[in-house]
Amino acid sequence: MGRTATNLVLLGAGHAHVAVLRRAAIRPIPGAALTLVTREPRAAYSGMLPGLLRGDYGFDDAHIACAPLAAAAGARLLIAEADGIDRAAGMLRLAGQSPLPFDLLSIDVGGRPVMPPGGGVPVKPVGRLLAGLAALEARLITGDRVAVIGAGAGGCELALALAHRLGSRTRVVLIGRDRAVLPGAPARAQAVVRRALAAAGIDWLGGVDAGPLHAGELALSDGRVLALAEAFWATGVVGPGFLAAAGLPCDAAGCLRVDATLRSTGDARVFAAGDCAALEGNARPKAGVWAVRAGPILEDNLRRAVAGQPLRRWRPQRDALVIMSLGNGRAVAWRNGLSVSGRLAWHWKDHLDRKWMRPS
Ligand SMILES: Cc1cc2nc3c(=O)[nH]c(=O)nc-3n(C[C@H](O)[C@H](O)[C@H](O)COP(=O)(O)OP(=O)(O)OC[C@H]3O[C@@H](n4cnc5c(N)ncnc54)[C@H](O)[C@@H]3O)c2cc1C
């Protein structure tokens, strides 16, 4: 009698799982029955999100259809939101649906921005951001002010894209906890972004913390109160609460602690990659590039785990190239303290993003 297949459940169509499924489509994982569980039928690629908001890309350019992705890999697709893991029973709990049994569970569900209770639109999930923006556009009146909170690369890109999209009838203000935009980036890249923000008419408020948004008013830590039509939160990432609630070891932000093989430090059946994972002793910044890079290692180790073979250790590079779009066909790129900006940087980003979306 043949061995029963190992139930390998991939939770979330994040960047690492897209890589896993693409590789499994070329070389199936022997002995595995694959299921992809994900909340939306089309997975957003946030590298192209600012371009989508500006109108450089259409919805399909910036989203990956999960059905063909899963079908090519021979995986079953379940559109569902996971809200718990019953580790004793080996079941993934799904909102409004029957729980799903797993032998191995790989998690790539990303994270959400840190935001206080109250109003405002988080940048993730992307579907909620797009819906929040559409609702805002329907009620905006000339002179309204909109804030983006968080001045990392994602927040700066979002502010620039919103200023372009909403036009001169709306004032965009970017708020950051640090005095400088893009904390940790080279000074030249910070200066380029400051100039781009000023040219787009965006007000920069640095060195302040934003409180909750209540009744259209946002209180700042320096005592000022801003009247806003909306606030978009692009602050640091936290993991989904159901990981820690399952008793899995997590870091302070609720991201699943994994060792260098991307396996949970608390449960040998569970793997994780991307923003929802915290790599022990080598924490990676919360950026899609690291989720993409984890993909091949994750795929190899899931394959090995199914076969009962020893796992490979991931030794990520120290640094990664960051390319941030500025709008108007320009971008700024930096790595290892060096930075370049201009049209070529934008073409390079556009080329890399399109290549990721449509690998040949
Ligand atoms: C405006 C903006 C621009 C950015 N630009 C860049 C960039 O240019 N380069 C870069 O490297 N990074 C960029 N980032 C950061 C990047 O978005 C994240 O680091 C990246 O998306 C993380 O990938 P991931 O695979 O961890 O998860 P995600 O891409 O967030 O994917 C998670 C998937 O899991 C699904 N999911 C989530 N929860 C559940 C659940 N409970 N049940 C079922 N499914 C679930 C979601 O539907 C989604 O498909 C940007 C971020 C923002 C906000």
Side-chain angles (χ1 to χ4, degrees), residues 12 14-15 39-40 46 80 82 108-110 124 157 274-275 287-289 349:
H15 302 23
R39 199 175 42 208
E40 293 97 15
S46 45
D108 180 17
V109 290
K124 293 277 184 91
E157 277 189 318
D275 281 5
V289 60
K349 176 171 171 55

Side-chain angles (χ1 to χ4, degrees), residues 163 170-173 195-203:
T170 312
R171 194 87 194 163
V172 176
V173 50
R195 281 200 296 274
L197 293 169
I202 297 169
D203 299 316

Side-chain angles (χ1 to χ4, degrees), residues 11-17 37-40 42-50 53 66 80-83 94 108-112 123-125 129 153-155 157-158 234 237 240 242 273-277 285-292 321-325 349 353:
L11 173 60
H15 302 23
H17 280 170
V37 179
T38 195
R39 199 175 42 208
E40 293 97 15
R42 298 210 270 178
Y45 176 53
S46 45
M48 291 172 109
L49 180 61
L53 300 185
C66 295
E81 176 159 14
D83 59 6
L94 305 173
D108 180 17
V109 290
R112 285 167 190 252
V123 286
K124 293 277 184 91
L129 168 68
E157 277 189 318
L158 183 64
V237 173
F242 69 84
D275 281 5
C276 71
K286 303 296 182 195
V289 60
W290 294 109
V292 168
L321 177 71
V322 181
I323 316 181
M324 201 200 114
S325 54
K349 176 171 171 55
D353 286 342

Side-chain angles (χ1 to χ4, degrees), residues 217-242:
E217 292 197 330
L218 186 81
L220 302 180
S221 54
D222 62 3
R224 274 180 291 180
V225 176
L226 300 182
L228 294 175
E230 194 53 280
F232 292 89
W233 293 83
T235 35
V237 173
V238 290
F242 69 84

